[in-house]
Amino acid sequence: MTDWFTADDVRNAVGAVTAIDQARFDVAAKAARGKAREACGPVFPVETITERVRVRVPCGEVPLRYRPATLTSVALYRSGSALTVGDFDFDGQVLFRRDGGAIAEDLQVVYTAGYSAIDAIPGEIRAYAELAAAQYIRVVRRFLLRGEDPTQVSFLVPAAASEVASEYLLAPGGM
């Protein structure tokens, strides 16, 4: 499988002209993909998500953990009774009934999230990954001591990355 953000993308983001430290670029690309998934949800490939949606009080909308691409099934969580998928729709991370009715019980929702092609990934998410990778490279260069595992380095993604991808960021905890 092809990764949507690679060591070559990292090299371009940080302005490196040679692949002298290929292993560090590979790790930075992996870290950036992870940070993008954490902030924006599944990116590539498309993932099937099965989620229990808790409903404490009947309401018109319920939050989902990720942004669906398509709904696959909706069922009552306790009884397992299938509901008609066409009766539901979503907007961003919000699931609602098309008829405007209230959702009164916990649901089990199965949906797909992510992009089916690398070309379909929004540029803002790609820019988020570039900024995250550049930050990773800076942190590793500055603080990594010889012999430490570079995959265990923690770092903060720059605020600029969040600003660039603000339209695609997930709401904390679904909402």
Side-chain angles (χ1 to χ4, degrees):
M1 179 177 76
T2 304
D3 288 324
W4 66 271
F5 189 74
T6 66
D8 289 339
D9 296 321
V10 175
R11 193 175 302 105
N12 291 336
V14 299
V17 292
T18 62
I20 293 172
D21 203 354
Q22 183 65 31
R24 189 176 295 167
F25 291 146
D26 288 334
V27 174
K30 181 178 180 182
R33 287 191 306 269
K35 289 291 186 180
R37 186 188 192 293
E38 184 180 304
C40 302
V43 180
F44 178 82
V46 170
E47 294 180 28
T48 299
I49 310 294
T50 301
E51 180 177 345
R52 177 182 182 181
V53 178
R54 295 181 186 269
V55 178
R56 305 240 186 304
V57 176
C59 55
E61 302 175 335
V62 292
L64 297 172
R65 188 175 339 134
Y66 301 117
R67 235 177 241 98
T70 59
L71 288 176
T72 305
S73 71
V74 180
L76 297 175
Y77 183 78
R78 287 189 180 91
S79 68
S81 300
L83 302 174
T84 305
V85 174
D87 290 347
F88 293 86
D89 204 353
F90 57 88
D91 183 16
Q93 286 178 259
V94 177
L95 178 73
F96 59 91
R97 293 183 54 91
R98 287 179 186 247
D99 64 5
I103 299 171
E105 293 185 50
D106 289 3
L107 302 174
Q108 179 158 323
V109 182
V110 180
Y111 57 93
T112 61
Y115 301 91
S116 59
I118 292 174
D119 293 344
I121 298 169
E124 292 89 336
I125 294 176
R126 192 168 276 290
Y128 182 97
E130 288 173 356
L131 291 165
Q135 178 72 355
Y136 177 88
I137 293 292
R138 279 192 291 277
V139 167
V140 168
R141 275 190 196 138
R142 185 167 182 191
F143 298 110
L144 187 63
L145 301 174
R146 297 286 179 225
E148 286 190 36
D149 181 0
T151 61
Q152 300 303 313
V153 173
S154 295
F155 68 100
L156 296 174
V157 175
S162 296
E163 289 171 16
V164 166
S166 63
E167 184 179 330
Y168 298 95
L169 297 178
L170 297 174
M175 291 306 267

